[in-house]
Amino acid sequence: MNFLRRPAFLVGLVLVGAVAIAAIAAGWIAPFDPVKNNYRYRLGAPNDLYLLGTDRYGRDVLSRILFGAGVSLRIGLAVAVLSGLAGASIGLISGWWRPADAWLMRVMDGLMAFPGLLLAIALAATLGPSEATAIVALTVAYTPRTARVMRAAVLVARALDYVEAARAVGANTVRILAKHILPACAAPLAVQQTFVFAVAILAEAVLSFVGVGPPPPQPTLGSIIADGRDTLVEAPWIALAPGTVIAMLVLGLNLLGDTLRDALDPRMRGMLR
Amino acid sequence: MLRRRSFTAGLVTAAALPLPAIAQGKKGGDVVVSQQAQPPTLDAQTTSAQATRNISLHMHETLFARDEAGDPKPDLAEGVDISADGLTYKFSLRKGVLFHNGKVMDSTDVKASLERYGKIGTSAFIMKPVAAIETPDANTVVVKLSQVYPGFIEGISSPRAPCAIMTAEDCAKPAGQGGSIGTGPFTLGEFKADSHALLKRFDKYVANPNYKARDGFAGRKTAYFDSVRFRFMPEGGARTAGLQTGELHVLEALDVPAAERLKSDKSIVAYTMMPWAFQTLMMNTNFGLTANVSIRRAIQAALDLEEIMAIATSGLFRLQPAWQHPNTGYFPGTEGLAKYTTQNKDRAKALLKEGGYKGEELVIVADNSFRNHLDTGTVAAEQLRAIGMNVKLSVMDWPTVLNARLRPEGWNLWPLGMGIEPYEGPYGVVGFFAGAAPVQIKPDPVIEQAQLQLTTSLKLADRQAAVKMFQDRVYDQAISIKCGDIGVIQATRSNVANYAPYRIPRMWDCWFA
């Protein structure tokens, strides 16, 4: 499977890569300090000094987006990794040790009964707004889905002939899980976490938009949009530019996830060319 | 009884005279007013929410009400005779005033309303000095005080949480459930949570014959619109769009950038009110860094108030340091205040050193429900970081912040817009820093003394001196920061004739052209 030949993969890679590189290099390429106010130049339209204009505080929107994208990517990645670890562990236990299954899955069902975003907002509001809080809240909200995916994969894998064979020759549980089950489940887990990455970026923007993300003046894509909401007509550039970046990131990650799923799903393999 | 001070209608008609000649109004039409928040209740006595006041002051009236300049004038009362010792207030009531249920208002209703306010009113403290309320006849109410309280008429005339006159039956209802029947020019049609409140013109309304025209919340009120619909719309952009399309006729507040944009729109009229509110930064003198007067003075010196105000108000502000509005009776002047309000970073750093600052955390609690609060907190945080302070800006929703700042510990600075208190006069402002629960948490002996003098002295000059004493103390000890005055823009469609901006969008004495 050659990913690079797939246009969807290439587009996704370019979108996510461009934003990621810009965000990582923000400290060098941002033209201004993202939290520096200049009240004499509030709501300034884009010009050759402020390429994307200024906000209500007179802060440079481009600089804020560069730093804000970093925060969004950081939170998205952390949530994808942490909910991956937590979800994989719960799914593994649940799928392998059957007595634990009913208990763990009922807890997951309980968490899934709340819409993920609502749960995250409630958690973030309770814990107090910060970047760490956003990560914890979104991890709790997205772990159940990952756990379900992992559990299903484990249930399939444990019935595979080579797993049965390993058992028959007396391999211990740790060895079976590490050598046979985990590799068999890696593909669906990777696909799922790519989507969690995308959803978490979007969810972080929502948390920041409703005011329970990282506190001001730290820029995040969602908080920049929230700043621009009141002046959507008078200064559309404030909300439009970070909105575009979020769209790029989420679209890019979904394209990557889709390609990954197509490539890793054996039933889809014949359809790929 | 000696007539020491008499607030009578005869005296005040003169104040109503300078108003422009009254154009002939036209009855009819359904006007739609939009406001940001939904009222927590329509029980006027039991909340100080602006969202309730906007609506309830169309339905309810008070014995005395504030005029255009904010001074108390008789409304449901004909006047009051105050005894020389300041302990007896004899109110004569207007005759023949009708409640919305058709009942004639009499002294038992007034007595019951005042008593209810003393029990469950939001500013129940104004009834605390009341020893007895007597009703010698149907049109006379005598209030006897146990101690001198010169702010009594100011208190019962305040629109903050109005001491609304309700029927005696309605007064028996618990907090939050009374208040559907009043004497005002509009009567309650329908209240739908999260959507709207619909008021209908009360055709049997008995207007005050002692005036010629509308005058603040007092005066002669005439309802022209058939109905007034108050719509609750949290989004500023949606409200502006509604006004542009004509779906809404009146806005309690139009965002400043939107007002700039709509300047040339002939179908919209914007009315700027300055001052509308104080922007303040309250300090906790009981906790951590701000318990130290040198640190508080360092904060005072570090702040660039112009930057704070420009951002927090989108440019609609004035730098006015006094703790009362200019051109009001208790204005203490601004002499000698410049040294406190001018930014001086070097002095701020020196004061930090003097206060022994070693990088401890300064906590600012701000809410994200009101832009001016969040902006003030955010900008102040940056300015304090610039002199080397370790600032934590904690942003929460408004109810959480209100709760957090009541705690004696855990917060240092709290940005607050004070709208109705300075409008009320000195009592709400000085009282905010005094008494059982002062905003700065730790009672200040000089402010307590000022409060005592303000609330018990029968001489106006003494009370004015008390306000000056309060202001000097707040600046000298850096107990709180007054950043400046905020303005507000009310707006109507251009076909709403004879509208005049005020503390609420008044829908009497205006009509569709």
Coordinates of all heavy atoms in Angstrom, one line a residue, chain A residues 16 72-73 75-77 79-80 138 142 191-205 246-257:
Chain A
V16 N -2.5 19.3 7.2 CA -2.1 19.2 8.6 C -0.6 19.6 8.8 O -0.3 20.3 9.7 CB -2.3 17.7 9.1 CG1 -1.8 17.6 10.6 CG2 -3.7 17.3 9.0
S72 N -4.0 24.3 20.0 CA -5.0 23.3 19.5 C -4.4 22.0 19.2 O -4.9 20.9 19.5 CB -5.7 23.9 18.3 OG -6.4 25.0 18.7
L73 N -3.2 22.0 18.5 CA -2.6 20.8 18.1 C -2.1 20.0 19.3 O -2.2 18.8 19.4 CB -1.4 21.1 17.1 CG -1.8 21.4 15.7 CD1 -0.6 21.9 14.9 CD2 -2.3 20.1 15.0
I75 N -3.3 20.1 22.4 CA -4.4 19.5 23.1 C -4.9 18.3 22.3 O -5.2 17.3 22.9 CB -5.5 20.6 23.3 CG1 -5.0 21.6 24.3 CG2 -6.8 19.9 23.8 CD1 -5.9 22.8 24.6
G76 N -5.1 18.5 21.0 CA -5.6 17.4 20.2 C -4.7 16.2 20.2 O -5.2 15.0 20.4
L77 N -3.4 16.4 20.1 CA -2.5 15.3 20.2 C -2.5 14.6 21.5 O -2.5 13.4 21.6 CB -1.1 15.8 19.8 CG 0.0 14.7 19.6 CD1 -0.4 13.9 18.3 CD2 1.4 15.3 19.4
V79 N -4.9 14.5 23.7 CA -6.1 13.8 23.9 C -6.1 12.5 23.1 O -6.5 11.4 23.6 CB -7.3 14.7 23.5 CG1 -8.6 13.9 23.5 CG2 -7.5 15.9 24.5
A80 N -5.6 12.6 21.9 CA -5.5 11.4 21.0 C -4.7 10.3 21.7 O -5.0 9.1 21.8 CB -5.0 11.7 19.7
L138 N -11.4 16.3 27.8 CA -11.7 15.7 26.5 C -11.2 14.3 26.5 O -11.8 13.4 25.8 CB -10.9 16.5 25.4 CG -11.5 17.9 25.1 CD1 -10.6 18.7 24.1 CD2 -12.9 17.8 24.6
Y142 N -13.7 11.2 25.4 CA -13.5 10.4 24.2 C -12.9 9.0 24.5 O -12.8 8.2 23.6 CB -12.6 11.1 23.2 CG -13.4 12.3 22.7 CD1 -12.9 13.6 22.9 CD2 -14.6 12.2 22.0 CE1 -13.6 14.7 22.5 CE2 -15.3 13.3 21.6 CZ -14.8 14.6 21.8 OH -15.6 15.6 21.4
V191 N -6.6 4.1 13.5 CA -7.6 4.9 12.7 C -8.5 5.6 13.7 O -8.8 6.8 13.5 CB -8.5 3.9 11.9 CG1 -9.6 4.6 11.2 CG2 -7.6 3.2 10.9
Q192 N -9.0 5.0 14.7 CA -9.9 5.6 15.7 C -9.2 6.9 16.3 O -9.8 7.9 16.4 CB -10.3 4.6 16.8 CG -11.0 5.2 18.0 CD -12.4 5.7 17.7 OE1 -12.9 5.3 16.6 NE2 -13.0 6.5 18.5
Q193 N -8.0 6.8 16.7 CA -7.3 7.9 17.3 C -7.0 9.0 16.4 O -7.0 10.2 16.8 CB -6.0 7.4 18.0 CG -6.3 6.5 19.3 CD -7.4 7.0 20.1 OE1 -8.5 6.4 19.9 NE2 -7.3 8.0 20.9
T194 N -6.9 8.7 15.1 CA -6.8 9.8 14.1 C -8.0 10.7 14.1 O -8.0 11.9 14.1 CB -6.5 9.3 12.7 OG1 -5.5 8.3 12.8 CG2 -6.0 10.4 11.8
F195 N -9.2 10.0 14.2 CA -10.4 10.7 14.2 C -10.6 11.5 15.6 O -11.1 12.6 15.6 CB -11.6 9.8 14.0 CG -11.7 9.3 12.5 CD1 -11.6 8.0 12.2 CD2 -11.8 10.2 11.5 CE1 -11.6 7.5 10.9 CE2 -11.8 9.8 10.2 CZ -11.8 8.4 9.9
V196 N -10.1 10.8 16.7 CA -10.2 11.5 18.0 C -9.4 12.8 17.9 O -9.8 13.8 18.5 CB -9.8 10.5 19.1 CG1 -9.5 11.3 20.4 CG2 -10.8 9.4 19.3
F197 N -8.2 12.7 17.3 CA -7.4 13.9 17.1 C -8.2 15.0 16.5 O -8.2 16.2 17.0 CB -6.2 13.5 16.2 CG -5.0 14.4 16.2 CD1 -3.8 14.1 15.6 CD2 -5.1 15.7 16.9 CE1 -2.7 14.9 15.6 CE2 -4.0 16.6 16.9 CZ -2.8 16.2 16.2
A198 N -8.8 14.7 15.4 CA -9.6 15.7 14.7 C -10.7 16.3 15.6 O -11.0 17.5 15.7 CB -10.1 15.2 13.4
V199 N -11.5 15.3 16.2 CA -12.6 15.7 17.0 C -12.2 16.5 18.2 O -12.8 17.5 18.6 CB -13.4 14.5 17.4 CG1 -14.5 14.8 18.4 CG2 -14.0 13.8 16.2
A200 N -11.0 16.2 18.8 CA -10.5 16.9 19.9 C -10.2 18.3 19.6 O -10.4 19.2 20.4 CB -9.3 16.2 20.5
I201 N -9.6 18.5 18.4 CA -9.3 19.9 18.0 C -10.5 20.7 17.9 O -10.6 21.9 18.4 CB -8.5 19.9 16.7 CG1 -7.1 19.4 16.9 CG2 -8.5 21.3 16.0 CD1 -6.3 19.2 15.7
L202 N -11.5 20.1 17.3 CA -12.8 20.8 17.1 C -13.4 21.1 18.5 O -13.9 22.2 18.8 CB -13.7 19.9 16.3 CG -14.8 20.6 15.5 CD1 -14.3 21.7 14.6 CD2 -15.6 19.5 14.7
A203 N -13.4 20.0 19.4 CA -14.0 20.2 20.7 C -13.2 21.2 21.6 O -13.9 22.0 22.3 CB -13.9 18.8 21.4
E204 N -11.9 21.3 21.4 CA -11.2 22.3 22.2 C -11.6 23.7 21.7 O -11.7 24.6 22.5 CB -9.7 22.1 21.9 CG -8.8 23.0 22.7 CD -8.7 24.4 22.1 OE1 -8.6 24.5 20.8 OE2 -8.7 25.4 22.9
A205 N -11.8 23.8 20.4 CA -12.3 25.1 19.9 C -13.6 25.5 20.5 O -13.9 26.6 20.9 CB -12.4 25.1 18.4
I246 N -9.1 25.9 11.6 CA -9.7 24.7 12.2 C -10.2 23.8 11.1 O -10.0 22.6 11.1 CB -10.9 25.1 13.1 CG1 -10.3 25.9 14.3 CG2 -11.7 23.9 13.6 CD1 -11.4 26.3 15.3
A247 N -10.8 24.4 10.1 CA -11.4 23.6 9.0 C -10.3 22.8 8.3 O -10.4 21.6 8.0 CB -12.1 24.5 8.0
M248 N -9.1 23.5 8.0 CA -8.0 22.8 7.4 C -7.5 21.6 8.2 O -7.3 20.6 7.7 CB -6.8 23.8 7.3 CG -6.9 24.8 6.1 SD -5.6 26.1 6.2 CE -4.1 25.1 6.0
L249 N -7.4 21.9 9.5 CA -6.9 20.8 10.4 C -7.8 19.6 10.4 O -7.4 18.5 10.3 CB -6.7 21.3 11.8 CG -5.4 22.0 12.2 CD1 -5.4 22.5 13.6 CD2 -4.2 21.0 12.0
V250 N -9.1 19.9 10.6 CA -10.0 18.8 10.8 C -10.2 18.1 9.5 O -10.3 16.8 9.5 CB -11.4 19.4 11.3 CG1 -12.4 18.3 11.4 CG2 -11.2 20.0 12.7
L251 N -10.3 18.8 8.4 CA -10.4 18.1 7.1 C -9.2 17.3 6.8 O -9.3 16.1 6.4 CB -10.6 19.2 6.0 CG -10.6 18.7 4.5 CD1 -11.8 17.8 4.3 CD2 -10.6 19.8 3.5
G252 N -8.0 17.9 7.1 CA -6.7 17.1 6.8 C -6.7 15.8 7.7 O -6.3 14.8 7.1
L253 N -7.0 15.9 8.9 CA -6.9 14.8 9.8 C -7.9 13.7 9.4 O -7.7 12.5 9.4 CB -7.1 15.2 11.3 CG -5.9 15.8 11.9 CD1 -6.3 16.5 13.2 CD2 -4.8 14.8 12.1
N254 N -9.1 14.1 8.9 CA -10.1 13.2 8.5 C -9.7 12.5 7.2 O -9.9 11.3 7.1 CB -11.5 13.9 8.3 CG -12.3 13.9 9.6 OD1 -12.7 12.9 10.1 ND2 -12.5 15.1 10.1
L255 N -9.0 13.2 6.3 CA -8.5 12.6 5.1 C -7.5 11.6 5.4 O -7.4 10.5 4.9 CB -8.0 13.7 4.1 CG -9.0 14.6 3.5 CD1 -8.3 15.7 2.7 CD2 -9.9 13.8 2.5
L256 N -6.6 11.9 6.3 CA -5.5 11.0 6.8 C -6.2 9.8 7.4 O -5.8 8.6 7.1 CB -4.6 11.7 7.8 CG -3.7 12.8 7.2 CD1 -2.8 13.3 8.3 CD2 -2.8 12.2 6.1
G257 N -7.1 10.0 8.3 CA -7.8 8.9 8.9 C -8.5 8.0 8.0 O -8.4 6.7 8.1

